[in-house]
Amino acid sequence: MFFEFGIKDIIDIFLVALMLYYIYRLMKESSSLNVFIGILMFVVLWLFVSQILEMRLLGSIMDKLVSVGVIGLIVLFQEDIRKFLYNLGAHQRMRRLMKILSSGKDKKGEHDKESIVPIVLACMNMSKKKIGALIVIERVTPLDDIVKTGDLIDANINQRLIENIFFKNSPLHDGAMVISHKRIKAAGCILPVSHDMEIPKELGLRHRAAMGMSQDGDSVVIVVSEETGAISVAIRGNFQLRLSAEKLESILTKELI
């Protein structure tokens, strides 16, 4: 039996395909691809039974399973769903649109050269001495929850202060430093650790914490390795490794200014 097929149906199919693609990516990143395939097969079977074969009893049972299963999936994958929705809202174009709506214009970053240079110099000195460091620089997403896990400092960005905080005998050297609004907000903070299996095994816990922080938000995270002295930056779930002073300054200038 023939039926009408118009532009609305094409848009409908395209949107469903796009939704399935993003769900596929979400499940793949969270190592739940087999779960996604199983859910997809169940949905296809449910549609086949209820819409094509019109089996009322089996169809009604599967309807109940689907309605209950949706709630179960939300509970089971709440962290992945939250991450997906955050990434959607944190998209560069979306953030730009929200800034325009909220302020009437697209503002530039609040950081400047005077706040970036002390960070770069401190990282270079710590790199030479192989002093481990973990610095989180706030951008759009507030880091109040992360700040609460450490000790409040609220001081101007200062090269000597950064180096003293991460000095090996300092009680705060194992945690992360949070920089917000051109001020050192807190130190000794606890960051979410990424369990991504694609992170190279030679990278330690600081790098995993930096990756976890960059995946959960739009922060710029700087890592100085205690073993090698290498400087790395994590941004939006991606690492840039073994950076020179010039490259680090260039990245911070691009991302923050």
Side-chain angles (χ1 to χ4, degrees):
M1 183 177 181
F2 294 99
F3 55 90
E4 294 183 0
F5 190 83
I7 185 68
K8 187 188 296 185
D9 300 296
I10 296 175
I11 295 173
D12 188 24
I13 293 172
F14 173 76
L15 291 176
V16 170
L18 189 65
M19 181 183 69
L20 289 174
Y21 170 70
Y22 276 106
I23 294 174
Y24 166 79
R25 284 186 56 186
L26 174 67
M27 292 294 183
K28 187 177 180 180
E29 289 176 1
S30 62
S31 303
S32 303
L33 185 57
N34 290 334
V35 177
F36 171 74
I37 294 173
I39 294 171
L40 196 60
M41 291 178 63
F42 181 83
V43 170
V44 170
L45 180 62
W46 168 56
L47 292 174
F48 181 76
V49 168
S50 59
Q51 300 297 323
I52 298 177
L53 298 182
E54 296 182 353
M55 295 180 177
R56 296 182 181 180
L57 181 58
L58 187 57
S60 62
I61 293 174
M62 296 185 76
D63 287 342
K64 297 297 182 182
L65 289 175
V66 168
S67 58
V68 174
V70 169
I71 299 174
L73 288 174
I74 292 174
V75 174
L76 187 61
F77 296 104
Q78 56 180 326
E79 288 298 324
D80 299 302
I81 293 172
R82 185 186 66 82
K83 178 183 173 183
F84 172 75
L85 294 176
Y86 170 78
N87 289 337
L88 183 64
H91 193 277
Q92 187 175 359
R93 292 180 182 178
M94 187 64 70
R95 293 203 310 268
R96 189 174 300 157
L97 176 61
M98 293 303 294
K99 285 182 180 180
I100 292 173
L101 292 176
S102 62
S103 61
K105 59 182 179 179
D106 191 6
K107 296 180 180 179
K108 289 186 177 181
E110 62 178 15
H111 288 269
D112 51 28
K113 285 286 185 180
E114 292 181 358
S115 64
I116 289 176
V117 170
I119 299 173
V120 175
L121 293 176
C123 288
M124 294 310 300
N125 282 342
M126 291 186 292
S127 173
K128 292 176 183 176
K129 300 174 184 177
K130 292 187 178 181
I131 297 175
L134 185 56
I135 303 173
V136 183
I137 305 177
E138 178 184 286
R139 290 203 286 185
V140 177
T141 307
L143 299 177
D144 296 340
D145 292 341
I146 301 298
V147 169
K148 290 176 183 177
T149 64
D151 293 317
L152 190 65
I153 295 177
D154 197 22
N156 290 327
I157 298 175
N158 182 280
Q159 176 188 346
R160 186 173 297 178
L161 177 58
I162 295 173
E163 293 181 29
N164 284 336
I165 287 174
F166 288 111
F167 183 68
K168 292 182 180 180
N169 293 331
S170 168
L172 301 176
H173 81 282
D174 274 336
M177 173 187 292
V178 175
I179 295 178
S180 172
H181 303 292
K182 294 199 294 186
R183 295 183 68 80
I184 299 174
K185 273 291 185 182
C189 299
I190 301 172
L191 304 185
V193 177
S194 173
H195 298 285
D196 190 344
M197 299 302 293
E198 295 182 1
I199 298 176
K201 294 187 181 297
E202 61 268 18
L203 300 181
L205 188 59
R206 281 194 179 90
H207 289 83
R208 287 195 169 273
M211 177 60 74
M213 192 69 227
S214 70
Q215 289 173 336
D216 281 356
D218 62 348
S219 305
V220 176
V221 190
I222 306 171
V223 185
V224 180
S225 172
E226 190 171 356
E227 288 74 24
T228 65
I231 300 174
S232 308
V233 171
I235 304 172
R236 291 181 287 273
N238 293 306
F239 268 128
Q240 298 191 49
L241 304 172
R242 294 179 288 276
L243 302 175
S244 63
E246 293 77 14
K247 185 61 177 177
L248 176 61
E249 183 177 355
S250 173
I251 292 171
L252 295 182
T253 300
K254 177 184 175 182
E255 296 293 336
L256 302 176
I257 300 181

